[in-house]
Amino acid sequence: MQPALEALTKPRPARTWPEKLFGRWWRRQSAARQDRYATLGPLVSVLLFLAAIILAFWYLRNEEFERGQESVKRDAEIAQTQIRLRLIENQEQLVRIAREIVTRAIDHDQFLAQAGSFTRERPEITNLVWVNAARVPRASYSATSFPAEAGATPDDTPAALPVEGSDSPTEAAFAAARAQRQPVYTRPFVDSFGNAVFQVQVPLLERSAFAGALIAEYSIEALMRRNLPPEVSRRHTITLTDASEHVYASTVTPMPGAKPPKPSIVYQLPLAPAANGLILRVHGYRTSIGLISNTLFWMVAALSVLTVWMLLGTWRHMRRRLQMQGALVSETNFRRAMENSMLTGMRAMDLEGRITYVNPAFCAMTGFFESELVGRTPPFPHWPPDRLEENARLLQQELQGRSPAGGIEVKIMRKDGSLFDSRMYVSPLIDPKGVQTGWMTSMTNITEAKRIRDQLSASHERFTTVLEGLDAAVSVLSVQQGELLFANRSYRLWFGAESQGHALLAGAEAGVPYLAAEMDDSVDNFGGLPTQELTEAGSDSREVYIEPLAKWFEVRARYLQWTDGRLAQMLIATDITARRSAEALAQSQADKAQVTSRLVTMGEMASSVAHELNQPLTAITNYCNGIITRVNNNAIAKEDLIAALEKTSKQAQRAGQIIHRIRSFVKRSEPQRQPSQATSIVEDAVELAGIELRRRNVAIHTYVAQRLPVLLVDPILIEQVVLNLLKNAAEAIDNAKLPPARRNIELRVVPRHTPDEGEVIEFSVTDMGPGLAPEVIARMYEAFFSTKVEGLGIGLSLCRSIIESHRGRIKAQNLYNGETAVGCRFSFTLPVQSSSSEPFSISKATVNS
């Protein structure tokens, strides 16, 4: 008893630092992780044990393989040495016989006797032939004939002889022996009997001269069979092959048609001293059955797999339990977090109507604590006192399962006495056995939503009132169904409640459904087009004339997404009949103003025109008076009379052309755009302006580019602009009293290319006058603004209107020499309607007054 007590009271030995470190780490782990480690520990141990067994077997297998490689290498070297010694010995005997042939020590019969003795001792040599330098056999002996001692005649020897000019191995060896003066081995070949052979050719040298060769033919099969050690051939398969792996001889004969097994160990050496391409190859095969058939290995592997499978099953079972436990904890935490974070109040009641559960949101809505609500029976503390009967009736309806699916709207009283609107939804509580245990009620505060709904209703009413009060017609049409979704009062007054008015405003023909016309032409049923791209596209406006109403409308169209998601087209049509009438009246007045401007221009040029007409009329009077005087005096010949009359006719034609030009310029006609050449416009304008320029003693220089493109313009209006600019330039020069050197006007017509306008024709009029003041440049295009005392102020205003109506631009700028204005340039551009590929050239014309 005493020793036992001493053993119990004996202090425990102190733990080492690894034990302390492991114990501290183990205690820090959770219980679930300790269970996982306890399960994985045996599994890892079994896997390590199995890995150690596999590594041990792999090491033994590799060691055995290396021993097999060493054995094959050793046997290959032994076989090579045996064959090499045999070949060297035979070569020395052949060299001796060759020396006796050269020294005449033996004759033909003696050669045959020595050859028979030589081949009997060396069965691998099948033929021995003596040839001279011309490759003619002198004597031959064949061991393949029967009987062998009989020999063979030189003409029917079975040995392959060299033939001059051929590419046979024997010819190549013969040439090499003659050149090298030493024995040469041929490459292996097949003789006439189908046997694999090779030859050694020993040169016969008589006084350093090549006298022939002694040819010994080896049978490759006999060479390997007679000279390999038996123990080597029993252990391994030995073959003689060439570089292309063609087998000439083997110690093992394969089955016909069967592919020999692939050796696991191969060692090869060249056949020395032949060096003729033959390779001695030794094949080794593994003698062990390997890991696959090792019973011990498979027993250990099976037990290890069984243990691993059982441990894996235990580990998977524990993992599933841990997963289920974790999922249960997560689900509980998730539900608790969801109940605590959601804004919807939840209330559970049993079948008697007693409250069994409320979530924090329900308590926050009502202001009551959970302890004040759970276990209460009707009437509940959150019922308003004045609505007890109504709430009791709704509760009975709820307990009977007759609550509407859309919920019920009730008033709820907070703990402080304030009321709010709420909507309650009721659903039954079902236990896992499928039995109903109570009712679950969800409550949502809809006070704010109700207020927003009332505001939206009021806003919709105001918006509808505004649309109904518009003077413009507003309509919305479904693109796919062609249904009129909305129409305001103006639309209904003009078109009624049908969609045909929308189609007319959209440009469809009367009597044709809008969708058919629209889809066939441009909409194409909007197949594949994203709705967002259509709704984000900008709206464009166009003017449409509705014949049944005799009204003009400005229509703006836009695609939008209707409240139910359908793609719709909205049209806003404004009545512009009055504006169109005003525009037509303004256009008529502008046309009259243009004619008036031309008449004013001609009126201002009246004195110049009278002076211009006075010259041809005076000449006509003088010619007529002279003709009358000379006729009365009978002092004129017929030829002189005809010449005088022709001059009179030319002056009359000149006066007629002036009157015709003025009449064409001031004649009232409708504006008409037509293909026109800039050259003809300039010529007509310069001809009219020349009357005023000559009166004011102003010269004009005209530069017009050749081969200009055709302009689609009204030539009379453009001529009026050019004439107005030329006349203004001449008046500026004349009023400034400039000297003759500066009384010049330059008119240039050249092509231009600008980034804004593209290809245009530029007309520019440049004078050498005093220029324009800045305030004049700022206001000179205003109607009725003029710097002339008797000017009307409509010339430049009309010029700008004419140019802009042709989609051109007009501008004016002063020309400066330093800070002094030395002239002014008016220029305008007209867009090109057609272009010419020919290059432009400049021509110069000068008109002096």
Side-chain angles (χ1 to χ4, degrees):
M1 191 67 181
Q2 185 67 24
L5 293 176
E6 291 178 357
L8 291 175
T9 57
K10 185 178 179 180
R12 297 176 60 185
R15 293 186 299 175
T16 61
W17 68 267
E19 294 177 349
K20 294 181 179 179
L21 182 62
F22 177 76
R24 190 180 302 113
W25 173 80
W26 181 261
R27 287 190 297 271
R28 284 201 302 265
Q29 305 303 316
S30 63
R33 185 163 295 181
Q34 289 178 357
D35 293 340
R36 188 180 297 114
Y37 289 153
T39 305
L40 292 178
L43 177 62
V44 173
S45 300
V46 172
L47 291 177
L48 291 176
F49 173 73
L50 181 60
I53 294 296
I54 293 175
L55 288 176
F57 276 97
W58 177 80
Y59 173 76
L60 294 175
R61 177 180 175 275
N62 287 344
E63 187 176 0
E64 178 186 5
F65 184 76
E66 291 177 359
R67 287 198 302 268
Q69 283 184 326
E70 291 296 330
S71 175
V72 170
K73 179 180 179 182
R74 183 173 60 254
D75 291 346
E77 292 174 350
I78 292 173
Q80 183 197 34
T81 302
Q82 293 290 336
I83 295 176
R84 180 172 60 83
L85 292 176
R86 186 67 171 179
L87 291 176
I88 292 175
E89 179 184 357
N90 294 342
Q91 181 177 326
E92 291 176 352
Q93 294 298 324
L94 290 173
V95 171
R96 181 185 59 78
I97 296 174
R99 189 180 300 111
E100 291 179 355
I101 292 174
V102 173
T103 59
R104 306 295 195 278
I106 59 174
D107 54 9
H108 179 272
D109 295 335
Q110 293 174 341
F111 170 79
L112 293 177
Q114 287 191 14
S117 175
F118 183 79
T119 55
R120 281 192 299 273
E121 296 174 356
R122 298 166 177 82
E124 66 271 12
I125 297 178
T126 59
N127 294 285
L128 193 62
V129 183
W130 168 20
V131 297
N132 60 11
R135 303 174 181 80
V136 177
R138 296 287 303 277
S140 67
Y141 182 86
S142 174
T144 59
S145 61
F146 185 82
E149 290 77 6
T153 63
D155 298 331
D156 59 356
T157 177
L161 300 179
V163 179
E164 185 177 2
S166 66
D167 57 352
S168 62
T170 57
E171 174 62 24
F174 184 83
R178 181 176 57 190
Q180 299 174 7
R181 299 295 197 270
Q182 61 182 5
V184 176
Y185 288 85
T186 66
R187 300 187 67 82
F189 62 93
V190 179
D191 63 0
S192 58
F193 296 103
N195 299 321
V197 299
F198 68 90
Q199 296 178 353
V200 55
Q201 299 187 11
V202 180
L204 303 178
L205 301 177
E206 184 177 0
R207 297 177 183 178
S208 301
F210 183 75
L214 182 61
I215 302 174
E217 190 172 81
Y218 282 88
S219 171
I220 299 177
E221 178 69 25
L223 177 66
M224 186 175 67
R225 186 177 66 253
R226 297 285 182 175
N227 296 283
L228 287 179
E231 63 275 9
V232 173
S233 59
R234 283 195 299 268
R235 285 196 297 264
H236 305 292
T237 300
I238 302 174
T239 60
L240 282 174
T241 63
D242 56 8
S244 61
E245 299 186 357
H246 176 72
V247 178
Y248 290 99
S250 176
T251 59
V252 176
T253 302
M255 292 294 294
K259 187 175 181 181
K262 186 176 181 181
S264 58
I265 303 173
V266 177
Y267 191 79
Q268 58 187 20
L269 292 171
L271 187 64
N276 58 350
L278 281 175
I279 298 174
L280 180 66
R281 179 173 295 178
V282 180
H283 298 170
Y285 297 89
R286 290 175 52 195
T287 57
S288 64
I289 58 177
L291 295 178
I292 302 301
S293 301
N294 195 306
T295 306
L296 177 61
F297 170 77
W298 279 111
M299 289 178 62
V300 173
L303 292 175
S304 301
V305 170
L306 180 60
T307 306
V308 170
W309 179 74
M310 294 178 66
L311 291 174
L312 283 176
T314 304
W315 177 71
R316 291 182 60 185
H317 178 69
M318 292 186 62
R319 189 178 65 174
R320 282 197 298 269
R321 291 193 60 182
L322 291 175
Q323 289 176 351
M324 293 172 61
Q325 181 180 354
L328 181 60
V329 173
S330 300
E331 182 70 18
T332 303
N333 294 335
F334 172 75
R335 289 181 177 274
R336 184 178 295 111
M338 182 176 64
E339 292 171 0
N340 295 335
S341 62
M342 67 187 307
L343 300 178
T344 302
M346 305 296 294
R347 182 190 65 184
M349 297 185 302
D350 57 16
L351 296 177
E352 287 75 22
R354 182 180 292 104
I355 297 177
T356 59
Y357 167 80
V358 289
N359 70 336
F362 192 91
C363 297
M365 286 183 184
T366 60
F368 293 95
F369 294 105
E370 183 179 359
S371 59
E372 297 175 335
L373 295 175
V374 175
R376 294 293 299 270
T377 56
F380 299 128
H382 53 273
W383 284 2
D386 56 344
R387 294 177 178 265
L388 293 178
E389 295 181 1
E390 179 183 357
N391 288 336
R393 180 180 56 80
L394 293 176
L395 178 62
Q396 290 299 325
Q397 182 179 348
E398 177 181 346
L399 294 177
Q400 294 172 6
R402 295 186 291 107
S403 296
I408 54 177
E409 186 175 333
V410 296
K411 288 282 187 179
I412 300 298
M413 183 181 68
R414 296 187 180 94
K415 190 175 182 180
D416 59 4
S418 59
L419 300 178
F420 65 91
D421 295 309
S422 68
R423 182 171 292 277
M424 289 188 176
Y425 301 89
V426 182
S427 61
L429 277 175
I430 307 297
D431 63 3
K433 297 181 180 180
V435 179
Q436 182 178 354
T437 59
W439 300 91
M440 175 62 70
T441 304
S442 62
M443 181 177 66
T444 306
N445 189 347
I446 62 171
T447 304
E448 185 66 19
K450 189 175 181 180
R451 184 183 63 83
I452 294 175
R453 183 181 59 190
D454 295 340
Q455 291 180 352
L456 287 176
S457 299
S459 176
H460 178 266
E461 184 178 355
R462 291 193 298 269
F463 180 71
T464 304
T465 303
V466 171
L467 288 180
E468 292 292 333
L470 288 178
D471 293 334
V474 181
S475 60
V476 180
L477 185 76
S478 174
V479 173
Q480 285 82 6
Q481 289 80 20
E483 176 187 356
L484 187 64
L485 303 176
F486 175 81
N488 69 341
R489 182 183 58 85
S490 298
Y491 179 91
R492 295 193 299 272
L493 288 176
W494 285 329
F495 305 102
E498 301 296 332
S499 61
Q500 187 62 29
H502 186 102
L504 292 176
L505 293 175
E509 298 179 1
V512 178
Y514 166 64
L515 283 179
E518 185 73 12
M519 291 178 185
D520 289 343
D521 296 335
S522 59
V523 177
D524 192 21
N525 204 18
F526 299 96
L529 294 180
T531 304
Q532 182 178 2
E533 298 294 334
L534 289 172
T535 56
E536 290 180 357
S539 60
D540 55 348
S541 63
R542 58 178 177 174
E543 296 180 356
V544 178
Y545 179 73
I546 305 301
E547 187 173 356
L549 300 177
K551 290 180 180 292
W552 280 94
F553 291 92
E554 181 182 19
V555 181
R556 292 184 177 273
R558 184 181 183 88
Y559 289 96
L560 50 86
Q561 195 167 4
W562 196 239
T563 55
D564 56 0
R566 289 184 291 176
L567 183 63
Q569 184 190 48
M570 180 180 69
L571 296 182
I572 301 176
T574 306
D575 186 4
I576 59 170
T577 305
R579 192 187 75 187
R580 292 277 298 198
S581 300
E583 290 176 354
L585 180 60
Q587 182 63 35
S588 176
Q589 292 176 350
D591 295 341
K592 293 178 181 179
Q594 293 172 3
V595 176
T596 302
S597 176
R598 292 198 292 269
L599 293 175
V600 170
T601 301
M602 288 294 99
E604 293 175 351
M605 296 173 57
S607 59
S608 300
V609 172
H611 176 72
E612 192 72 17
L613 288 175
N614 187 50
Q615 292 181 359
L617 293 178
T618 301
I620 291 173
T621 302
N622 293 334
Y623 282 133
C624 290
N625 291 334
I627 291 172
I628 292 172
T629 301
R630 295 184 65 180
V631 168
N632 290 333
N633 296 331
N634 293 322
I636 186 171
K638 182 179 179 180
E639 292 79 7
D640 295 337
L641 179 61
I642 293 174
L645 291 176
E646 287 178 351
K647 292 179 180 181
T648 303
S649 175
K650 288 180 179 179
Q651 294 299 326
Q653 290 176 1
R654 179 185 174 189
Q657 288 176 355
I658 294 173
I659 295 172
H660 177 72
R661 171 54 55 196
I662 294 173
R663 183 176 179 275
S664 299
F665 182 72
V666 300
K667 183 177 66 173
R668 182 170 183 173
S669 62
E670 293 295 329
Q672 182 180 5
R673 295 190 184 185
Q674 57 189 0
S676 305
Q677 295 289 342
T679 304
S680 60
I681 295 174
V682 170
E683 289 176 354
D684 294 343
V686 170
E687 184 177 351
L688 280 178
I691 300 173
E692 183 72 12
L693 298 180
R694 287 189 293 272
R695 186 178 71 84
R696 296 182 181 273
N697 195 22
V698 176
I700 181 170
H701 303 272
T702 305
Y703 297 85
V704 181
Q706 297 290 339
R707 303 182 185 92
L708 288 173
V710 177
L711 297 173
L712 185 61
V713 297
D714 188 329
I716 297 299
L717 296 180
I718 303 304
E719 180 183 343
Q720 179 180 352
V721 174
V722 175
L723 176 61
N724 201 334
L725 296 180
L726 292 175
K727 187 173 68 67
N728 289 344
E731 290 177 356
I733 293 174
D734 193 28
N735 294 335
K737 307 299 182 183
L738 296 179
R742 294 184 58 185
R743 301 178 74 87
N744 298 313
I745 296 176
E746 182 183 52
L747 173 59
R748 295 176 62 87
V749 183
V750 294
R752 297 286 187 198
H753 178 81
T754 62
D756 298 337
E757 300 178 87
E759 298 292 337
V760 296
I761 301 298
E762 183 185 60
F763 295 74
S764 62
V765 177
T766 306
D767 62 62
M768 306 294 289
L772 298 174
E775 59 273 10
V776 175
I777 294 179
R779 300 186 56 193
M780 63 182 177
Y781 295 117
E782 295 181 5
F784 307 111
F785 173 78
S786 177
T787 58
K788 305 175 185 178
V789 177
E790 298 179 356
L792 298 178
I794 62 174
L796 289 178
S797 177
L798 283 175
C799 288
R800 185 175 69 171
S801 300
I802 293 171
I803 296 303
E804 290 180 352
S805 68
H806 286 80
R807 294 184 292 113
R809 298 181 182 179
I810 185 171
K811 63 179 180 179
Q813 59 182 356
N814 287 329
L815 305 178
Y816 291 93
N817 184 5
E819 297 182 357
T820 305
V822 294
C824 181
R825 176 181 295 139
F826 277 84
S827 63
F828 64 89
T829 58
L830 295 174
V832 174
Q833 297 299 323
S834 61
S835 59
S836 175
S837 59
E838 299 181 2
F840 294 105
S841 62
I842 301 297
S843 65
K844 178 178 179 181
T846 305
V847 179
N848 297 317
S849 60

PDB file of all heavy atoms in Angstrom, residues 234-245:
ATOM      1  N   ARG A 234      22.419 -17.601 -73.914  1.00  0.00           N
ATOM      2  CA  ARG A 234      21.305 -18.126 -73.122  1.00  0.00           C
ATOM      3  C   ARG A 234      20.659 -17.031 -72.259  1.00  0.00           C
ATOM      4  O   ARG A 234      19.461 -17.058 -72.014  1.00  0.00           O
ATOM      5  CB  ARG A 234      21.789 -19.289 -72.252  1.00  0.00           C
ATOM      6  CG  ARG A 234      21.974 -20.584 -73.010  1.00  0.00           C
ATOM      7  CD  ARG A 234      22.104 -21.763 -72.045  1.00  0.00           C
ATOM      8  NE  ARG A 234      23.245 -21.621 -71.169  1.00  0.00           N
ATOM      9  CZ  ARG A 234      24.465 -22.096 -71.415  1.00  0.00           C
ATOM     10  NH1 ARG A 234      24.683 -22.758 -72.560  1.00  0.00           N
ATOM     11  NH2 ARG A 234      25.458 -21.952 -70.557  1.00  0.00           N
ATOM     12  N   ARG A 235      21.478 -16.120 -71.789  1.00  0.00           N
ATOM     13  CA  ARG A 235      20.941 -15.073 -70.901  1.00  0.00           C
ATOM     14  C   ARG A 235      20.205 -13.973 -71.664  1.00  0.00           C
ATOM     15  O   ARG A 235      19.227 -13.426 -71.157  1.00  0.00           O
ATOM     16  CB  ARG A 235      22.081 -14.447 -70.075  1.00  0.00           C
ATOM     17  CG  ARG A 235      22.579 -15.313 -68.960  1.00  0.00           C
ATOM     18  CD  ARG A 235      23.404 -14.483 -67.988  1.00  0.00           C
ATOM     19  NE  ARG A 235      24.589 -13.930 -68.617  1.00  0.00           N
ATOM     20  CZ  ARG A 235      25.808 -14.478 -68.572  1.00  0.00           C
ATOM     21  NH1 ARG A 235      25.969 -15.643 -67.937  1.00  0.00           N
ATOM     22  NH2 ARG A 235      26.839 -13.903 -69.148  1.00  0.00           N
ATOM     23  N   HIS A 236      20.708 -13.638 -72.850  1.00  0.00           N
ATOM     24  CA  HIS A 236      20.156 -12.460 -73.544  1.00  0.00           C
ATOM     25  C   HIS A 236      19.947 -12.765 -75.016  1.00  0.00           C
ATOM     26  O   HIS A 236      20.551 -13.710 -75.562  1.00  0.00           O
ATOM     27  CB  HIS A 236      21.093 -11.250 -73.408  1.00  0.00           C
ATOM     28  CG  HIS A 236      21.433 -10.902 -71.990  1.00  0.00           C
ATOM     29  ND1 HIS A 236      20.520 -10.406 -71.096  1.00  0.00           N
ATOM     30  CD2 HIS A 236      22.630 -10.990 -71.312  1.00  0.00           C
ATOM     31  CE1 HIS A 236      21.109 -10.194 -69.932  1.00  0.00           C
ATOM     32  NE2 HIS A 236      22.396 -10.554 -70.043  1.00  0.00           N
ATOM     33  N   THR A 237      19.126 -11.957 -75.616  1.00  0.00           N
ATOM     34  CA  THR A 237      18.921 -12.004 -77.060  1.00  0.00           C
ATOM     35  C   THR A 237      19.923 -11.070 -77.716  1.00  0.00           C
ATOM     36  O   THR A 237      20.001  -9.879 -77.379  1.00  0.00           O
ATOM     37  CB  THR A 237      17.493 -11.590 -77.427  1.00  0.00           C
ATOM     38  OG1 THR A 237      16.581 -12.480 -76.791  1.00  0.00           O
ATOM     39  CG2 THR A 237      17.278 -11.618 -78.927  1.00  0.00           C
ATOM     40  N   ILE A 238      20.679 -11.609 -78.702  1.00  0.00           N
ATOM     41  CA  ILE A 238      21.721 -10.824 -79.361  1.00  0.00           C
ATOM     42  C   ILE A 238      21.398 -10.799 -80.845  1.00  0.00           C
ATOM     43  O   ILE A 238      21.080 -11.839 -81.451  1.00  0.00           O
ATOM     44  CB  ILE A 238      23.118 -11.433 -79.116  1.00  0.00           C
ATOM     45  CG1 ILE A 238      23.387 -11.519 -77.600  1.00  0.00           C
ATOM     46  CG2 ILE A 238      24.192 -10.615 -79.799  1.00  0.00           C
ATOM     47  CD1 ILE A 238      24.673 -12.222 -77.249  1.00  0.00           C
ATOM     48  N   THR A 239      21.472  -9.600 -81.432  1.00  0.00           N
ATOM     49  CA  THR A 239      21.196  -9.415 -82.855  1.00  0.00           C
ATOM     50  C   THR A 239      22.300  -8.601 -83.483  1.00  0.00           C
ATOM     51  O   THR A 239      22.993  -7.831 -82.811  1.00  0.00           O
ATOM     52  CB  THR A 239      19.851  -8.717 -83.087  1.00  0.00           C
ATOM     53  OG1 THR A 239      19.899  -7.430 -82.453  1.00  0.00           O
ATOM     54  CG2 THR A 239      18.689  -9.527 -82.521  1.00  0.00           C
ATOM     55  N   LEU A 240      22.474  -8.832 -84.800  1.00  0.00           N
ATOM     56  CA  LEU A 240      23.359  -8.010 -85.608  1.00  0.00           C
ATOM     57  C   LEU A 240      22.478  -7.213 -86.569  1.00  0.00           C
ATOM     58  O   LEU A 240      21.753  -7.799 -87.392  1.00  0.00           O
ATOM     59  CB  LEU A 240      24.367  -8.870 -86.374  1.00  0.00           C
ATOM     60  CG  LEU A 240      25.555  -9.392 -85.558  1.00  0.00           C
ATOM     61  CD1 LEU A 240      26.405 -10.341 -86.392  1.00  0.00           C
ATOM     62  CD2 LEU A 240      26.409  -8.237 -85.039  1.00  0.00           C
ATOM     63  N   THR A 241      22.497  -5.875 -86.459  1.00  0.00           N
ATOM     64  CA  THR A 241      21.654  -5.002 -87.272  1.00  0.00           C
ATOM     65  C   THR A 241      22.518  -3.911 -87.898  1.00  0.00           C
ATOM     66  O   THR A 241      23.704  -3.763 -87.570  1.00  0.00           O
ATOM     67  CB  THR A 241      20.558  -4.355 -86.422  1.00  0.00           C
ATOM     68  OG1 THR A 241      21.181  -3.514 -85.436  1.00  0.00           O
ATOM     69  CG2 THR A 241      19.717  -5.410 -85.708  1.00  0.00           C
ATOM     70  N   ASP A 242      21.905  -3.183 -88.800  1.00  0.00           N
ATOM     71  CA  ASP A 242      22.579  -2.003 -89.347  1.00  0.00           C
ATOM     72  C   ASP A 242      21.988  -0.754 -88.703  1.00  0.00           C
ATOM     73  O   ASP A 242      21.198  -0.832 -87.755  1.00  0.00           O
ATOM     74  CB  ASP A 242      22.439  -1.960 -90.867  1.00  0.00           C
ATOM     75  CG  ASP A 242      20.984  -1.998 -91.305  1.00  0.00           C
ATOM     76  OD1 ASP A 242      20.093  -1.899 -90.431  1.00  0.00           O
ATOM     77  OD2 ASP A 242      20.726  -2.124 -92.518  1.00  0.00           O
ATOM     78  N   ALA A 243      22.357   0.411 -89.230  1.00  0.00           N
ATOM     79  CA  ALA A 243      21.903   1.667 -88.630  1.00  0.00           C
ATOM     80  C   ALA A 243      20.400   1.851 -88.766  1.00  0.00           C
ATOM     81  O   ALA A 243      19.778   2.539 -87.952  1.00  0.00           O
ATOM     82  CB  ALA A 243      22.638   2.851 -89.258  1.00  0.00           C
ATOM     83  N   SER A 244      19.789   1.278 -89.786  1.00  0.00           N
ATOM     84  CA  SER A 244      18.340   1.391 -89.977  1.00  0.00           C
ATOM     85  C   SER A 244      17.585   0.307 -89.210  1.00  0.00           C
ATOM     86  O   SER A 244      16.400   0.098 -89.478  1.00  0.00           O
ATOM     87  CB  SER A 244      17.996   1.319 -91.460  1.00  0.00           C
ATOM     88  OG  SER A 244      18.420   0.075 -92.007  1.00  0.00           O
ATOM     89  N   GLU A 245      18.249  -0.393 -88.287  1.00  0.00           N
ATOM     90  CA  GLU A 245      17.666  -1.426 -87.438  1.00  0.00           C
ATOM     91  C   GLU A 245      17.142  -2.625 -88.220  1.00  0.00           C
ATOM     92  O   GLU A 245      16.209  -3.301 -87.801  1.00  0.00           O
ATOM     93  CB  GLU A 245      16.549  -0.842 -86.559  1.00  0.00           C
ATOM     94  CG  GLU A 245      17.020   0.237 -85.613  1.00  0.00           C
ATOM     95  CD  GLU A 245      15.929   0.677 -84.666  1.00  0.00           C
ATOM     96  OE1 GLU A 245      14.803   0.159 -84.807  1.00  0.00           O
ATOM     97  OE2 GLU A 245      16.216   1.528 -83.785  1.00  0.00           O
TER      98      GLU A 245
END
